[in-house]
Amino acid sequence: TPLHCACRYRAPFEVTSLLLNTWLSYKENRNESAIATLQSDDFDLTRDAEMIFSHLFALFNNNADNPSPNEIMDYFIHTEMWNGATLVLDRYPTVFKIMGLDTKVMADFLTIVGRCC
């Protein structure tokens, strides 16, 4: 896939993150087995791309050193990885409650990640 090529050939972070976000837009790619296919590939990632993948993989393992779901959500929001944010909400619905979003912002955020109020 284009995502795999971008990861193998050290594409710029902007390209890799756009392709990953698009890949995650397909519901069949937002499960543990699909994510595991990315983990098992032999990628030559840039440091930024390595960071985004490590946050993605952390959603599916219980390593004590992983960032919390809230930290992963913050990272995906910061990098505008909206389908990653959707995945966090799918896996950990309570994260939304502790985000502390203002009521006026909440509707916009939910719209961006494909949810309803």
Side-chain angles (χ1 to χ4, degrees), residues 45 49-59 61 66-67 72:
L45 300 171
E50 195 173 291
M51 180 69 79
I52 204 164
F53 278 98
S54 71
H55 280 79
L56 178 63
F57 299 152
L59 289 172
N61 66 49
N66 284 342
I72 295 169

Side-chain angles (χ1 to χ4, degrees), residues 9 14 19 24 33 42 44 52 59 68 74 85 91 99 103:
Y9 299 108
E14 294 78 13
L19 290 169
L24 287 171
S33 62
D42 187 26
D44 184 20
I52 204 164
L59 289 172
S68 70
D74 288 344
R91 301 267 309 152
M99 287 177 63
T103 306

Side-chain angles (χ1 to χ4, degrees), residues 14-107:
E14 294 78 13
V15 172
T16 305
S17 65
L18 176 66
L19 290 169
L20 178 59
N21 198 49
T22 302
W23 189 82
L24 287 171
S25 70
Y26 295 94
K27 190 168 180 80
E28 63 269 14
N29 292 334
R30 291 194 307 256
N31 61 58
E32 189 169 0
S33 62
I35 301 298
T37 65
L38 296 175
Q39 228 171 351
S40 63
D41 281 326
D42 187 26
F43 291 152
D44 184 20
L45 300 171
T46 63
R47 187 169 184 260
D48 290 337
E50 195 173 291
M51 180 69 79
I52 204 164
F53 278 98
S54 71
H55 280 79
L56 178 63
F57 299 152
L59 289 172
F60 292 94
N61 66 49
N62 295 323
N63 187 332
D65 295 333
N66 284 342
S68 70
N70 195 41
E71 292 169 320
I72 295 169
M73 175 66 86
D74 288 344
Y75 177 80
F76 285 149
I77 290 170
H78 177 74
T79 58
E80 298 182 10
M81 179 69 57
W82 302 118
N83 290 312
T86 299
L87 180 59
V88 175
L89 289 176
D90 288 346
R91 301 267 309 152
Y92 301 96
T94 57
V95 165
F96 184 71
K97 293 178 183 177
I98 60 174
M99 287 177 63
L101 292 178
D102 182 83
T103 306
K104 295 174 184 173
V105 176
M106 189 181 305

